Amino acid sequence: MKKSIFLIALGLAVSAGCPFANAQNDELADSEVQTKVKQARVHAKALGGALKSRLKQAIQSGGLEAGVEECKLAAEPIAEGLSQNGWEVGRTALKVRNPNNAPDEWEREQLALFASLLEKTKLEEKQPSTPIDTYKYDSDSGEFRYMMAIQQGQVCMACHGAQVAPSVKETILKHYPKDEATGFELGELRGAFTLTYSPQ
């Protein structure tokens, strides 16, 4: 029997499965899923932390243009370095800079929910609980998918905000001629870390 579990942070939850499944098996599966959620959060935060550190160093040494260059050079190798032991680690967004990061159907649905949630909390003048994340688990295949929202931060405004300097824009377009990832406001959804675990 096929059983899938979906969960979105902040109370948006959907669960589907076989109502006659053995309770003990359900508990075991849930324990395994929660372990994967913890592992995914660690990997996502590691990717975000490493990228932010490299970006800050590059900007301090060579300005915003150097930051763009560093993102181009460092993002994929860092993600590949974390993609081990069955995990695939990356980023995606509704508006991407690198076309290789374009979302699939499930990712697009979750990104839309993240964006809606952040907009709702903004209108209500509340701070969202973090992390804002979601997962999907297929107990037949053992595949586990996870996403964690990335909010637009101050450090990224110069390259992703509404006011991008001409020299920075020129550097961006040199590397990403089809760039879509500008015009963001502080605190809104920038994108998400996206991870997949496949049993080996």
Side-chain angles (χ1 to χ4, degrees), residues 1-2 5 19 28 31 40 42 75 77 101 112 141-142 145 149 162 171 175 185 189 194 197:
M1 295 182 184
K2 186 171 183 178
I5 301 171
L28 178 60
S31 175
V42 169
N101 295 336
S141 68
R145 298 191 68 182
T171 303
H175 295 294
E185 295 182 5
L189 183 72
T194 180
Y197 174 80

mmCIF file of all heavy atoms in Angstrom, residues 1-2 5 19 28 31 40 42 75 77 101 112 141-142 145 149 162 171 175 185 189 194 197:
data_model
loop_
_atom_site.group_PDB
_atom_site.id
_atom_site.type_symbol
_atom_site.label_atom_id
_atom_site.label_comp_id
_atom_site.label_asym_id
_atom_site.label_seq_id
_atom_site.Cartn_x
_atom_site.Cartn_y
_atom_site.Cartn_z
ATOM 1 N N MET A 1 0.830 -1.186 0.000
ATOM 2 C CA MET A 1 0.000 0.000 0.000
ATOM 3 C C MET A 1 0.874 1.249 0.000
ATOM 4 O O MET A 1 1.894 1.276 0.664
ATOM 5 C CB MET A 1 -0.885 0.021 1.257
ATOM 6 C CG MET A 1 -1.899 -1.100 1.308
ATOM 7 S SD MET A 1 -2.917 -0.955 2.790
ATOM 8 C CE MET A 1 -3.896 -2.434 2.606
ATOM 9 N N LYS A 2 0.439 2.234 -0.701
ATOM 10 C CA LYS A 2 1.238 3.460 -0.786
ATOM 11 C C LYS A 2 0.803 4.438 0.277
ATOM 12 O O LYS A 2 -0.374 4.694 0.460
ATOM 13 C CB LYS A 2 1.092 4.091 -2.168
ATOM 14 C CG LYS A 2 2.020 5.286 -2.351
ATOM 15 C CD LYS A 2 2.014 5.759 -3.775
ATOM 16 C CE LYS A 2 3.006 6.905 -3.955
ATOM 17 N NZ LYS A 2 3.071 7.355 -5.335
ATOM 18 N N ILE A 5 3.105 11.206 3.436
ATOM 19 C CA ILE A 5 2.852 12.159 4.503
ATOM 20 C C ILE A 5 3.314 13.523 4.029
ATOM 21 O O ILE A 5 4.419 13.669 3.519
ATOM 22 C CB ILE A 5 3.620 11.788 5.789
ATOM 23 C CG1 ILE A 5 3.206 10.390 6.266
ATOM 24 C CG2 ILE A 5 3.368 12.803 6.889
ATOM 25 C CD1 ILE A 5 4.060 9.864 7.392
ATOM 26 N N PRO A 19 -5.963 3.841 6.385
ATOM 27 C CA PRO A 19 -6.479 3.900 7.743
ATOM 28 C C PRO A 19 -6.319 2.603 8.502
ATOM 29 O O PRO A 19 -6.469 2.577 9.725
ATOM 30 C CB PRO A 19 -7.964 4.230 7.533
ATOM 31 C CG PRO A 19 -8.280 3.727 6.174
ATOM 32 C CD PRO A 19 -7.027 3.950 5.375
ATOM 33 N N LEU A 28 6.932 3.692 13.688
ATOM 34 C CA LEU A 28 8.292 3.526 13.171
ATOM 35 C C LEU A 28 8.526 4.460 11.989
ATOM 36 O O LEU A 28 9.561 5.131 11.912
ATOM 37 C CB LEU A 28 8.519 2.071 12.745
ATOM 38 C CG LEU A 28 9.899 1.753 12.131
ATOM 39 C CD1 LEU A 28 11.007 2.074 13.131
ATOM 40 C CD2 LEU A 28 9.953 0.291 11.708
ATOM 41 N N SER A 31 8.866 8.032 13.132
ATOM 42 C CA SER A 31 10.175 8.261 13.749
ATOM 43 C C SER A 31 11.255 8.446 12.686
ATOM 44 O O SER A 31 12.110 9.331 12.789
ATOM 45 C CB SER A 31 10.533 7.076 14.658
ATOM 46 O OG SER A 31 11.840 7.224 15.184
ATOM 47 N N ALA A 40 17.557 17.033 7.274
ATOM 48 C CA ALA A 40 17.347 17.988 6.186
ATOM 49 C C ALA A 40 17.557 19.415 6.669
ATOM 50 O O ALA A 40 18.160 20.237 5.972
ATOM 51 C CB ALA A 40 15.947 17.823 5.609
ATOM 52 N N VAL A 42 19.470 20.401 9.067
ATOM 53 C CA VAL A 42 20.914 20.601 9.259
ATOM 54 C C VAL A 42 21.588 20.886 7.918
ATOM 55 O O VAL A 42 22.399 21.819 7.798
ATOM 56 C CB VAL A 42 21.551 19.359 9.917
ATOM 57 C CG1 VAL A 42 23.077 19.443 9.872
ATOM 58 C CG2 VAL A 42 21.088 19.227 11.364
ATOM 59 N N ALA A 75 28.248 28.427 -5.264
ATOM 60 C CA ALA A 75 26.956 27.834 -4.890
ATOM 61 C C ALA A 75 26.857 26.346 -5.226
ATOM 62 O O ALA A 75 26.528 25.520 -4.369
ATOM 63 C CB ALA A 75 25.815 28.606 -5.547
ATOM 64 N N PRO A 77 29.286 24.048 -6.084
ATOM 65 C CA PRO A 77 30.218 23.164 -5.372
ATOM 66 C C PRO A 77 29.844 22.943 -3.906
ATOM 67 O O PRO A 77 30.005 21.832 -3.390
ATOM 68 C CB PRO A 77 31.558 23.907 -5.496
ATOM 69 C CG PRO A 77 31.426 24.691 -6.739
ATOM 70 C CD PRO A 77 30.002 25.139 -6.773
ATOM 71 N N ASN A 101 18.100 25.978 -11.456
ATOM 72 C CA ASN A 101 17.406 25.884 -10.167
ATOM 73 C C ASN A 101 15.891 26.014 -10.303
ATOM 74 O O ASN A 101 15.196 26.164 -9.295
ATOM 75 C CB ASN A 101 17.919 26.964 -9.207
ATOM 76 C CG ASN A 101 19.372 26.765 -8.840
ATOM 77 O OD1 ASN A 101 19.898 25.655 -8.914
ATOM 78 N ND2 ASN A 101 20.039 27.835 -8.443
ATOM 79 N N ALA A 112 4.642 28.606 -3.624
ATOM 80 C CA ALA A 112 3.451 29.459 -3.631
ATOM 81 C C ALA A 112 2.825 29.522 -2.244
ATOM 82 O O ALA A 112 2.374 30.599 -1.792
ATOM 83 C CB ALA A 112 2.440 28.946 -4.653
ATOM 84 N N SER A 141 8.651 3.928 -1.745
ATOM 85 C CA SER A 141 9.983 4.088 -2.334
ATOM 86 C C SER A 141 11.031 4.499 -1.302
ATOM 87 O O SER A 141 12.229 4.335 -1.529
ATOM 88 C CB SER A 141 9.939 5.128 -3.455
ATOM 89 O OG SER A 141 9.679 6.418 -2.917
ATOM 90 N N GLY A 142 10.567 5.074 -0.183
ATOM 91 C CA GLY A 142 11.490 5.595 0.824
ATOM 92 C C GLY A 142 12.000 6.981 0.490
ATOM 93 O O GLY A 142 12.821 7.537 1.218
ATOM 94 N N ARG A 145 11.285 14.190 0.579
ATOM 95 C CA ARG A 145 11.586 15.507 0.021
ATOM 96 C C ARG A 145 11.287 16.571 1.070
ATOM 97 O O ARG A 145 10.332 16.463 1.843
ATOM 98 C CB ARG A 145 10.766 15.771 -1.241
ATOM 99 C CG ARG A 145 11.056 14.788 -2.365
ATOM 100 C CD ARG A 145 10.437 15.240 -3.676
ATOM 101 N NE ARG A 145 11.101 16.443 -4.170
ATOM 102 C CZ ARG A 145 10.736 17.088 -5.282
ATOM 103 N NH1 ARG A 145 9.702 16.657 -5.985
ATOM 104 N NH2 ARG A 145 11.384 18.162 -5.682
ATOM 105 N N ALA A 149 11.872 27.552 3.472
ATOM 106 C CA ALA A 149 11.764 28.868 2.852
ATOM 107 C C ALA A 149 12.989 29.731 3.133
ATOM 108 O O ALA A 149 13.582 29.671 4.213
ATOM 109 C CB ALA A 149 10.514 29.576 3.358
ATOM 110 N N ALA A 162 15.009 45.813 -5.349
ATOM 111 C CA ALA A 162 14.447 46.624 -6.441
ATOM 112 C C ALA A 162 15.458 47.622 -6.991
ATOM 113 O O ALA A 162 15.362 48.043 -8.148
ATOM 114 C CB ALA A 162 13.201 47.358 -5.946
ATOM 115 N N THR A 171 27.055 42.760 -14.165
ATOM 116 C CA THR A 171 27.757 41.533 -13.781
ATOM 117 C C THR A 171 26.787 40.358 -13.703
ATOM 118 O O THR A 171 27.096 39.242 -14.136
ATOM 119 C CB THR A 171 28.457 41.715 -12.423
ATOM 120 O OG1 THR A 171 29.358 42.826 -12.492
ATOM 121 C CG2 THR A 171 29.243 40.471 -12.048
ATOM 122 N N HIS A 175 26.620 36.688 -16.318
ATOM 123 C CA HIS A 175 26.586 35.280 -15.931
ATOM 124 C C HIS A 175 25.206 34.649 -16.104
ATOM 125 O O HIS A 175 25.092 33.451 -16.361
ATOM 126 C CB HIS A 175 27.023 35.129 -14.469
ATOM 127 C CG HIS A 175 28.445 35.507 -14.224
ATOM 128 N ND1 HIS A 175 29.504 34.798 -14.764
ATOM 129 C CD2 HIS A 175 28.992 36.524 -13.501
ATOM 130 C CE1 HIS A 175 30.643 35.358 -14.379
ATOM 131 N NE2 HIS A 175 30.358 36.399 -13.617
ATOM 132 N N GLU A 185 11.390 42.485 -1.974
ATOM 133 C CA GLU A 185 11.338 43.355 -0.808
ATOM 134 C C GLU A 185 11.855 42.602 0.404
ATOM 135 O O GLU A 185 11.761 41.375 0.482
ATOM 136 C CB GLU A 185 9.901 43.826 -0.550
ATOM 137 C CG GLU A 185 9.330 44.704 -1.651
ATOM 138 C CD GLU A 185 7.924 45.179 -1.334
ATOM 139 O OE1 GLU A 185 7.441 44.895 -0.211
ATOM 140 O OE2 GLU A 185 7.311 45.816 -2.203
ATOM 141 N N LEU A 189 9.377 36.198 0.344
ATOM 142 C CA LEU A 189 9.991 34.935 -0.064
ATOM 143 C C LEU A 189 10.986 35.160 -1.187
ATOM 144 O O LEU A 189 10.640 35.684 -2.243
ATOM 145 C CB LEU A 189 8.916 33.946 -0.519
ATOM 146 C CG LEU A 189 9.458 32.561 -0.903
ATOM 147 C CD1 LEU A 189 9.893 31.796 0.345
ATOM 148 C CD2 LEU A 189 8.411 31.754 -1.673
ATOM 149 N N THR A 194 15.942 23.137 -1.179
ATOM 150 C CA THR A 194 15.179 21.959 -1.564
ATOM 151 C C THR A 194 16.090 20.732 -1.496
ATOM 152 O O THR A 194 17.202 20.741 -2.033
ATOM 153 C CB THR A 194 14.569 22.126 -2.969
ATOM 154 O OG1 THR A 194 13.821 20.952 -3.306
ATOM 155 C CG2 THR A 194 15.611 22.399 -4.042
ATOM 156 N N TYR A 197 16.013 12.982 -0.307
ATOM 157 C CA TYR A 197 16.746 11.807 0.152
ATOM 158 C C TYR A 197 16.198 10.587 -0.567
ATOM 159 O O TYR A 197 14.999 10.329 -0.556
ATOM 160 C CB TYR A 197 16.593 11.607 1.665
ATOM 161 C CG TYR A 197 17.221 10.314 2.135
ATOM 162 C CD1 TYR A 197 18.592 10.217 2.348
ATOM 163 C CD2 TYR A 197 16.441 9.166 2.319
ATOM 164 C CE1 TYR A 197 19.173 9.016 2.741
ATOM 165 C CE2 TYR A 197 17.008 7.972 2.715
ATOM 166 C CZ TYR A 197 18.382 7.900 2.918
ATOM 167 O OH TYR A 197 18.960 6.715 3.307
#
